Amino acid sequence: MWSGRFREPLDRTFEQWQRSFPFDWRLLPQEVAASKAHAQAIAAAGILTPEELAKTLDGLTRVGERALNWAHRISATSGEVDYETSNQQIGAAIVASAPQAEDIHHYVELELTKEIGALALKLHTGRSRNEQIATDMRLFVRDSIDATITGLTRWALSLITLAESNPDAVMPGYTHLQRAEPVLIAHWLLAYVSMIERDLSRFTDARTRMNFCPLGSGAIAGATLALDRTIAARALAFTAPTSNSMDATSDRDFMLDFAQAASTLGLHISRFAEELTLYATAEFSFIDLPEAFSTGSSAMPQKKNPDLTELARGKSARLLGSATALATLVKGLPLAYNKDLQEGQEQIFDVADTLAGLLSVLPNFTRALKFRHAKMKEAAQTGYLNAMAGATYLSNKGLAFRKAHEVIGNAVRLGLDLNLELNAIPLAELQKLSDYFDEAFFAAISLNATVDCHAVPGGTATSQVHESLTSAKHRISTLYTLPTTPWEPEASTHG
Ligand code: ARG
C-alpha cells in the first residue's frame, strides 16, 4: 500500500502490531459506503468513466455482501448467537481470510481488486486513508447514535408503562438515604424518564454536530482533484462537507461527544441499578426481582442475586473509562492526523457494544419489575414522612413556617417518646404544643394528602404525576420515531 520508498522490509512483529484490521474490520459497511460515495465523486471529476463507475460500485457491493454472508452462515450454524459472540466470530473469519490486510481500507482495496481487477486501484485517486478513517468513524458513530436513540426510547417507554401500571402506589422518597417524604412510585420512575430525555437530547445534538463529511479533505491539505465534495456528502446523507481539511482529518470530537453522552447515560443507568439493587434487599423488600433476570448462587441455595443491576452498574465504569481514554488520546495531539488516533476506534466499538447490550436488557427487565406495594406503603407511612405536610398545614393556618417547623419538630419528638406516628398522637397532646392544631390536622397529614399537597407542575401530587406521564409519553413517542435506516439518505440539506 505504501512501500515504494522503503528499502528494508518491515519488522514482522512491528508490522503485525501496528495493524488495525483485527478490530477495524467492523467498519466494513462504512468503508464500502464511503468508497462508493468517493467513486461517484471521482467519476464526476472524470477519473472514472460511467462504465468504470458502474463496475466499481458493483464490486464494492459484492465486497460488502461477503461479510454479511459470513454473518448469516455463522448465526445459522450456532443458532441464536448473542451479538458479541457473533461479532467476534465474524471478525475472526474476516481477519483470517485476509492475512495481508493492514486495515479496513487496505482490505477493501485488496478484495475489490479480486472482484474487478486493476480498475480497483483507481479508487484511491484523490483520497487518503486519513479522510477515510475520519469518514468511516463518523458513519459508525452516527449509526450507533441512531441505535442508542432507538434503545433509549424503548427503555423510556417501558418505564412509562411500568409507571402507568402503578398509577397511585406510594413509596418513601429519600434524601441522604433517609426517609424524606412519600412519593408516587410513578413519580420516582418518571425521574429516570427525565434523565433519559436529557440523554436523548445529548445524543441527538451530538448527531447534528457531527453530521459533516470529511471526504475531499485528502491527507491533510485537501484533495488534489477538483472534486465536488457535495456529491459524497449527499450520497452518505451528511448535511454538508466539513469546512477545514486539517480539522476534518484529525478531529475526533464526534467520538468524544458520543462517549461522553454515553458515560452520562451510564451514570443514570448506574443510579437506577443501584436503587433497584438496594430495593431488592431483604432490608428494603420493595421489589421482587424478576426470576428471568436474576441468577442463583452455586454455593448458597437460597440466593436470588441481582446480577443484571450489578452488571449494569459495572458497565458504567467501562463507559467512563472509554470517554477518559478518548479525551486523553486527543489531548496534546498536534494537527493533523497522527497514528495515535487509531487507538480511539476500539474505545468507540466498546462504547457502542456496551450501550447496545445495556439497552437490549433494560426495557424488558424494567417491564418485568414487580413492586411490593404493601411494604412500600408501610415504609411511606412510618418515620414521620408527613412532618413537612403537617408544618405546611399549620403555616396555611397562619403560623409562620419557621414556627410551624419548630412546633412539628416538637410533635415528632413527642411521638418518638411515645412511640407514636404524628397521626396517632391525641389532639389534646398536640394542642399543648400549639393552639393551631385542630381536628382537620389529621386529614391534612394522611398519606394521600401528604402526596397530593405537592400539586405543582413537576411535583408528586397524583394529578400532576398523571399529567407528567401523559406528556412524557407524548414527547418521547413523537420526537423519537426511529429507527432510521442507516444507509438510506434522507432528504439532506447540504450547503
Ligand atoms: N488504520 C488507520 C487508522 O485507523 C488508517 C489511517 C492511516 N493513516 C496513516 N497515515 N497511516 O488511523
Side-chain angles (χ1 to χ4, degrees):
M1 196 168 32
W2 38 255
S3 56
R5 63 94 73 211
F6 284 76
R7 290 197 186 90
E8 274 185 54
L10 276 198
D11 175 273
R12 226 185 100 71
T13 316
F14 165 66
E15 195 281 320
Q16 291 290 319
W17 176 77
Q18 58 91 44
R19 286 180 175 210
S20 52
F21 195 48
F23 48 86
D24 72 10
W25 63 267
R26 289 190 60 166
L27 297 171
L28 180 64
Q30 289 78 7
E31 176 69 13
V32 166
S35 294
K36 285 181 173 179
H38 178 68
Q40 284 170 258
I42 59 172
I47 300 293
L48 299 178
T49 65
E51 299 72 43
E52 287 175 329
L53 173 63
K55 246 182 121 180
T56 304
L57 294 178
D58 204 47
L60 284 166
T61 302
R62 287 200 299 277
V63 171
E65 272 168 4
R66 213 173 295 149
L68 274 182
N69 290 341
W70 255 308
H72 287 167
R73 211 177 319 141
I74 284 160
S75 39
T77 49
S78 49
E80 231 182 78
V81 243
D82 102 4
Y83 71 100
E84 246 166 332
T85 326
S86 85
N87 254 348
Q88 278 166 9
Q89 289 171 318
I90 297 163
I94 295 177
V95 173
S97 75
Q100 286 184 301
E102 174 180 319
D103 58 22
I104 185 63
H105 321 297
H106 192 198
Y107 171 79
V108 169
E109 189 173 294
L110 292 171
E111 293 299 302
L112 189 62
T113 310
K114 287 187 203 159
E115 297 287 344
I116 62 172
L119 172 60
L121 304 177
K122 276 196 173 181
L123 187 57
H124 209 56
T125 317
R127 77 171 179 180
S128 146
R129 285 187 296 156
N130 297 352
E131 61 184 315
Q132 280 173 269
I133 189 64
T135 307
D136 291 357
M137 287 309 288
R138 278 180 195 245
L139 294 173
F140 184 90
V141 168
R142 195 175 68 181
D143 273 0
S144 306
I145 288 177
D146 289 348
T148 305
I149 290 175
T150 306
L152 265 181
T153 304
R154 280 200 191 110
W155 187 34
L157 292 175
S158 68
L159 283 161
I160 289 173
T161 306
L162 183 64
E164 280 171 342
S165 52
N166 293 272
D168 305 308
V170 291
M171 66 183 283
Y174 297 84
T175 63
H176 311 267
L177 204 49
Q178 303 287 324
R179 287 181 196 169
E181 290 192 272
V183 293
L184 292 187
I185 292 177
H187 191 57
W188 166 65
L189 292 169
L190 281 173
Y192 286 98
V193 173
S194 291
M195 295 179 222
I196 295 175
E197 285 196 70
R198 288 196 297 278
D199 291 320
L200 283 166
S201 95
R202 261 184 284 272
F203 284 108
T204 308
D205 183 44
R207 192 193 197 283
T208 308
R209 198 178 308 116
M210 61 147 285
N211 202 30
F212 294 87
C213 186
L215 289 182
S217 297
I220 168 167
T224 47
L225 275 179
L227 289 180
D228 176 354
R229 294 187 60 205
T230 65
I231 295 175
R234 207 175 313 133
L236 295 169
F238 282 114
T239 308
T242 50
S243 56
N244 179 289
S245 62
M246 292 180 81
D247 177 51
T249 48
S250 65
D251 165 41
R252 295 297 183 270
D253 287 4
F254 62 96
M255 286 161 51
L256 207 47
D257 274 1
F258 174 57
Q260 284 169 340
S263 25
T264 304
L265 165 60
L267 299 181
H268 298 153
I269 293 174
S270 181
R271 293 182 80 176
F272 181 68
E274 167 63 12
E275 287 208 278
L276 293 183
T277 307
L278 208 55
Y279 292 166
T281 57
E283 284 68 18
F284 274 87
S285 285
F286 286 178
I287 284 169
D288 208 3
L289 282 177
E291 286 191 6
F293 295 96
S294 307
T295 52
S297 155
S298 58
M300 298 165 281
Q302 86 284 8
K303 292 294 288 286
K304 183 167 77 168
N305 288 330
D307 286 29
L308 188 148
T309 53
E310 292 170 288
L311 208 45
R313 197 173 52 192
K315 295 284 182 193
S316 71
R318 255 178 120 100
L319 295 171
L320 272 166
S322 292
T324 309
L326 283 168
T328 314
L329 188 66
V330 175
K331 181 192 173 299
L333 268 196
L335 293 183
Y337 177 85
N338 297 269
K339 184 88 164 188
D340 315 39
L341 293 172
Q342 183 171 290
E343 280 295 299
Q345 294 179 26
E346 285 162 288
Q347 301 297 339
I348 288 298
F349 298 151
D350 195 63
V351 170
D353 291 343
T354 302
L355 288 184
L358 281 164
L359 294 171
S360 73
V361 293
L362 280 171
N364 289 342
F365 169 74
T366 300
R367 249 188 301 272
L369 285 173
K370 294 265 179 295
F371 298 110
R372 295 205 179 98
H373 289 136
K375 205 65 206 181
M376 295 172 101
K377 185 171 177 182
E378 187 198 313
Q381 278 177 310
T382 340
Y384 308 98
L385 281 79
N386 50 3
M388 176 107 169
T392 305
Y393 176 76
L394 297 185
S395 95
N396 285 347
K397 291 201 66 183
L399 188 60
F401 187 80
R402 286 268 174 262
K403 199 70 203 143
H405 184 285
E406 192 187 328
V407 169
I408 296 291
N410 293 338
V412 167
R413 196 167 67 200
L414 179 66
L416 286 168
D417 289 343
L418 302 173
N419 197 20
L420 294 174
E421 286 292 322
L422 282 182
N423 39 4
I425 301 176
L427 181 58
E429 292 299 319
L430 291 173
Q431 281 170 336
K432 283 183 199 160
L433 301 173
S434 161
D435 41 12
Y436 280 86
F437 283 108
D438 57 15
E439 197 55 53
F441 174 73
F442 296 101
I445 61 165
S446 72
L447 185 56
N448 285 347
T450 308
V451 169
D452 285 337
C453 70
H454 302 279
V456 286
T460 194
T462 318
S463 58
Q464 291 295 335
V465 172
H466 293 179
E467 257 174 59
S468 302
L469 259 176
T470 314
S471 56
K473 193 174 178 175
H474 178 76
R475 271 196 311 276
I476 291 169
S477 38
T478 51
L479 272 178
Y480 302 100
T481 45
L482 289 159
T484 53
T485 5
W487 302 114
E488 282 206 286
E490 52 219 37
S492 64
T493 47
H494 61 90

